Amino acid sequence: MICLLMTVFLVQPGPVPRHAPKRVKSTLKLDQMDHISNEWTDTDVLIFNSGHWWTRTKLFEMGCYFQVGGSLKLGMPTTTAFKAALNTWASWVDTSINTNRTSVFFRTFEASHWSGRNRNSCKVSRHPSLDTKGKDRSSISDTIIDVVKKTAAPVTVLHVTPMGAFRGDAHVGSWSDNPSVPDCSHWCLPGVPDMWNEILFSYLLSKNGTYLQ
């Protein structure tokens, strides 16, 4: 059985602290895992990915700011907060997951093909590109890889950023129901996400035959 449990930040959303500025509508507690993490233990396979919502538009412009302990971190950049959240996640994996039972994977950030001065245009091409034009790197993916390297528990990184960088043709882009709002976050099926699954299955099937039964 496959169960999808969604927590877009991994860490715990929180209410507005007392005496917070009016612009603060909610918080992310960077030092606490989301309560839903209680449902992740004692599973056979855990596959994580994160990063899509760690942007100014989906945080600060919506009134969501960072919190550590009882302290608001109003000036903390999203990149710093994301790494703090991942360190909380890594600590949770090290202390809460029985890796003799559970295989843990973390998929890196999908390649982005945003362009334009305001990064508001997703250029959907007709064919895969022969040049990544620098899109094979992602600061979010780099952070994920860096944090996973330091975990005591064995975590397998599914590094999909470089392979997706060639596939500007596989985004939803402007082909969605509302072409005036380009979509660079999602991919067309069948295509790139299918290959992510193939990579995952190859890991599962090669692990001493554990998942062949």
Side-chain angles (χ1 to χ4, degrees):
M1 182 179 72
I2 298 175
C3 183
L4 175 63
L5 300 173
M6 184 175 181
T7 168
V8 295
F9 296 110
L10 297 180
V11 290
Q12 183 180 328
V16 180
R18 293 181 60 187
H19 310 301
K22 289 185 178 181
R23 69 177 185 272
V24 180
K25 308 300 182 184
S26 63
T27 63
L28 277 181
K29 298 182 178 181
L30 302 178
D31 55 347
Q32 297 183 36
M33 287 291 288
D34 194 321
H35 290 310
I36 202 173
S37 62
N38 295 328
E39 301 185 40
W40 299 342
T41 57
D42 298 325
T43 58
D44 293 322
V45 181
L46 283 172
I47 308 166
F48 295 92
N49 79 294
S50 186
H52 284 94
W53 285 68
W54 291 85
T55 65
R56 294 183 60 87
T57 54
K58 294 179 179 178
L59 287 166
F60 303 151
E61 292 182 15
M62 302 295 292
C64 184
Y65 290 84
F66 307 123
Q67 182 176 350
V68 177
S71 177
L72 272 177
K73 304 294 182 181
L74 297 176
M76 180 180 286
T78 56
T79 52
T80 303
F82 181 65
K83 186 166 187 176
L86 282 189
N87 283 328
T88 298
W89 166 83
S91 177
W92 175 84
V93 170
D94 285 341
T95 58
S96 301
I97 297 300
N98 177 7
T99 54
N100 291 322
R101 170 190 171 94
T102 304
S103 296
V104 183
F105 297 86
F106 206 122
R107 196 183 73 212
T108 59
F109 195 61
E110 296 88 338
S112 168
H113 294 86
W114 287 116
S115 61
R117 177 176 297 180
N118 298 318
R119 292 178 59 81
N120 59 357
S121 175
C122 184
K123 295 294 185 182
V124 180
S125 59
R126 290 183 175 273
H127 305 285
S129 173
L130 297 177
D131 186 353
T132 66
K133 299 179 181 179
K135 297 183 182 298
D136 56 327
R137 292 292 302 275
S138 162
S139 60
I140 292 175
S141 294
D142 290 345
T143 300
I144 292 169
I145 294 169
D146 181 58
V147 170
V148 167
K149 284 180 179 178
K150 299 174 183 177
T151 59
V155 177
T156 301
V157 175
L158 304 173
H159 192 21
V160 302
T161 311
M163 61 182 289
F166 294 93
R167 296 299 308 277
D169 62 309
H171 277 299
V172 174
S174 58
W175 298 110
S176 62
D177 293 335
N178 186 357
S180 65
V181 181
D183 184 350
C184 197
S185 297
H186 297 90
W187 299 77
C188 298
L189 289 170
V192 174
D194 296 315
M195 186 53 63
W196 300 342
N197 292 334
E198 293 289 342
I199 294 171
L200 173 64
F201 292 155
S202 70
Y203 277 107
L204 297 180
L205 293 172
S206 64
K207 187 178 179 181
N208 301 320
T210 301
Y211 301 97
L212 291 173
Q213 302 177 1

